[in-house]
Amino acid sequence: MRWAGKGYWFIFALGFTAIIALTLIGRQIFSDILVSLTHERLVAQERVKLGQIQQSLSEFRSHAQLFATRHEVEQALGIPASAAALTAVSDAISQIERHLVIRRVVLFTTDNQPVIAGSGQSPDLGPDFAKAQARLADDGQPQFIDLHKSDDGDIAYGWLVQVRRDGRILGSAYFERSAVTQLYPMLLEWPSPNQSGETLLAERQDGEMVFLSPLRYRGALAPLGLRLPVGETETLAERALDGENGLLEGQDYAGATVIGAAFRVPGTPWVLVSKISRTEATHLADIVTAVAAAVAIIVLGLFTLAFWALAHNRQHHAAEHRDRLLQAIMDNVPQGMVLVDGDHRILAYNSSAYQVFGLPAATYALGRDFRHVLEDWGRHCGFDRAIVERAKANCESATPYSLELQRHNGQPDGWCTVMCGRPLRCKEKRLCLAI
């Protein structure tokens, strides 16, 4: 019975090991599928956002170029500019700022001096703006003004376009928009709820990676506030700027392992990155495989317990049948018989044992040491003490034995033979026969 129980538990352990191995393999396969699906979703989302940004920048440039051709602008940049012309262009600037959500418009003469500025003041745009004015003078193409912190603390970007009349350059016009209201909302949109998804803009400036947009894991930093040395972290943004566009896996600015997609934004120094934590992307695989493994282990345990209980029940019934059969055989044998286990405890006896040993029934109590019965029998029947001790010593023997005990109590039958052996291949039971 013990062997059978151990066998079933061995089967359970083997099944448990197989379930764990299959779970790990299944999790890896499922994780790879989820990562592949996440990659496709990120690329699709990246292309959508890239298209939105390009369209916004293109429309912004078209509006700026169109406004630069207005008669009021040409009149304001004429020499000399009349007060009426300046008033008219101021009204036109107010309208375009209001209707096209343009932060401000500034007109410059050919020597880059501001003539009139919308929103009440002329901005201090720094050396990069001066370089853009020089490039505009050289090729006449609209110049993109990168994200920068304006004099009032807002994050802005814009276009610098040339103003011409009849092929003659009259000056330039700068159009500025707030990134907070016109650019960043496009980045913050995410198609599904998530814990780590993020879309950001970054660029390389003076040997540093500059993150241009609000960051989910650096909320305390304003846009343009996080700068990382180039080559120190190898973020997805840096790899994208080095030419690795498309699907990427690696680290983000916070050091987390992520999967993402990255593309350059044409016409700008920006790179657009959409990413999500690999742990979150594969979280469903962890849940599904854990639940599947738990269910499989529970089912395996229940089946193991059921089969073990069935086998145990069968063995119990078989043991009861053997005991009843043995008891029936013993009760039909005229000789006294006592069945003991390996520790000499009494397991069964027949009615003839009372007659042979001549002892009360309590002497043969189940579980009592048979050697104590021999001592009681020896005292009751008057056997020689040495022979009784020899019989007890032989009980320790692993081989069958036979003893003849002579009675000294005057009974008619003065001799009794005791034989002990092992019945029916059972290593834990011995049959003692008294004649």
Side-chain angles (χ1 to χ4, degrees), residues 378 381-385 387 405-411 413-414:
C381 297
F383 290 140
D384 183 52
R385 181 69 182 176
I387 296 178
L405 305 178
Q406 185 177 9
R407 296 174 176 171
H408 298 293
N409 58 358
Q411 294 186 19
D413 187 2

Side-chain angles (χ1 to χ4, degrees), residues 245-257:
N245 284 255
L247 298 177
L248 295 173
E249 291 193 36
Q251 287 188 330
D252 65 357
Y253 58 87
T257 301

Side-chain angles (χ1 to χ4, degrees), residues 17 27 44 54-55 63 68 78 106 126 155 166 177 182 189 215 229 257 277 301 326 331 379 403 424 428:
T17 303
R27 180 193 176 281
Q54 285 183 280
Q55 182 179 359
H63 288 311
V106 184
I155 305 298
D166 300 329
R177 268 184 171 173
Q182 300 300 306
E189 295 175 358
L215 301 176
T257 301
S277 166
L326 179 61
D331 287 341
R379 286 193 297 270
L403 289 175
L424 303 176
E428 297 184 356

Side-chain angles (χ1 to χ4, degrees), residues 385-405:
R385 181 69 182 176
I387 296 178
V388 174
E389 292 297 327
R390 179 185 170 193
K392 290 170 56 180
N394 282 334
C395 287
E396 305 291 341
S397 174
T399 58
Y401 65 90
S402 174
L403 289 175
E404 290 188 353
L405 305 178

Side-chain angles (χ1 to χ4, degrees), residues 97 103-109 112-126 129 133 148 150-152 172 174 176:
E97 288 179 342
R103 190 172 180 275
R104 73 177 139 202
V105 179
V106 184
L107 302 182
F108 294 90
T109 62
N112 298 327
Q113 296 300 314
V115 174
I116 189 169
S119 301
Q121 58 180 345
S122 176
D124 180 12
L125 298 171
F129 187 78
Q133 287 178 316
H148 58 278
S150 63
D151 44 16
D152 60 357
S172 59
Y174 171 62
E176 184 178 82

Side-chain angles (χ1 to χ4, degrees), residues 102-379:
I102 292 177
R103 190 172 180 275
R104 73 177 139 202
V105 179
V106 184
L107 302 182
F108 294 90
T109 62
T110 53
D111 57 356
N112 298 327
Q113 296 300 314
V115 174
I116 189 169
S119 301
Q121 58 180 345
S122 176
D124 180 12
L125 298 171
D128 290 337
F129 187 78
K131 294 177 182 178
Q133 287 178 316
R135 291 193 300 269
L136 180 66
D138 290 339
D139 57 24
Q141 296 299 316
Q143 299 295 312
F144 178 71
I145 305 302
D146 199 1
L147 287 166
H148 58 278
K149 184 174 289 188
S150 63
D151 44 16
D152 60 357
D154 194 7
I155 305 298
Y157 64 101
W159 285 101
L160 181 64
V161 299
Q162 207 167 58
V163 180
R164 290 172 174 265
R165 184 174 64 183
D166 300 329
R168 184 167 61 89
I169 299 175
L170 299 179
S172 59
Y174 171 62
F175 300 81
E176 184 178 82
R177 268 184 171 173
S178 170
V180 175
T181 60
Q182 300 300 306
L183 180 63
Y184 294 157
M186 288 186 285
L187 304 179
L188 297 177
E189 295 175 358
W190 198 266
S192 60
N194 62 85
Q195 299 293 325
S196 61
E198 184 177 24
T199 301
L200 56 87
L201 288 171
E203 66 178 28
R204 187 183 285 120
Q205 292 181 6
D206 302 326
E208 292 182 321
M209 286 298 305
V210 182
F211 292 86
L212 308 173
S213 56
L215 301 176
R216 185 168 191 168
Y217 297 102
R218 292 291 187 275
L221 287 177
L224 309 181
L226 180 61
R227 294 174 174 264
L228 299 177
V230 171
E232 182 176 287
T233 57
E234 286 290 327
T235 61
L236 299 189
E238 182 176 344
R239 290 168 56 188
L241 288 170
D242 289 334
E244 296 185 50
N245 284 255
L247 298 177
L248 295 173
E249 291 193 36
Q251 287 188 330
D252 65 357
Y253 58 87
T257 301
V258 295
I259 55 179
F263 294 96
R264 297 291 297 264
V265 180
T268 73
W270 304 341
V271 62
L272 181 68
V273 179
S274 293
K275 64 181 181 63
I276 191 171
S277 166
R278 184 180 180 89
T279 301
E280 182 176 356
T282 59
H283 183 59
L284 180 60
D286 296 335
I287 295 177
V288 171
T289 52
V291 171
V295 171
I297 290 172
I298 291 173
V299 172
L300 174 64
L302 291 176
F303 271 103
T304 302
L305 287 174
F307 282 119
W308 177 82
L310 181 62
H312 180 75
N313 189 49
R314 288 179 177 177
Q315 291 173 355
H316 180 69
H317 286 302
E320 286 184 342
H321 177 71
R322 288 195 302 268
D323 290 344
R324 287 194 298 269
L325 180 61
L326 179 61
Q327 190 66 48
I329 294 173
M330 291 173 64
D331 287 341
N332 286 280
V333 172
Q335 290 82 12
M337 299 180 68
V338 179
L339 184 66
V340 299
D341 64 10
D343 295 325
H344 314 293
R345 293 188 298 269
I346 296 174
L347 300 177
Y349 53 86
N350 65 353
S351 58
S352 298
Y354 298 120
Q355 301 172 6
V356 173
F357 292 109
L359 295 174
T363 304
Y364 311 102
L366 297 182
R368 192 178 182 214
D369 195 319
F370 181 65
R371 291 169 296 185
H372 297 165
V373 175
L374 290 177
E375 291 179 350
D376 294 343
W377 190 30
R379 286 193 297 270

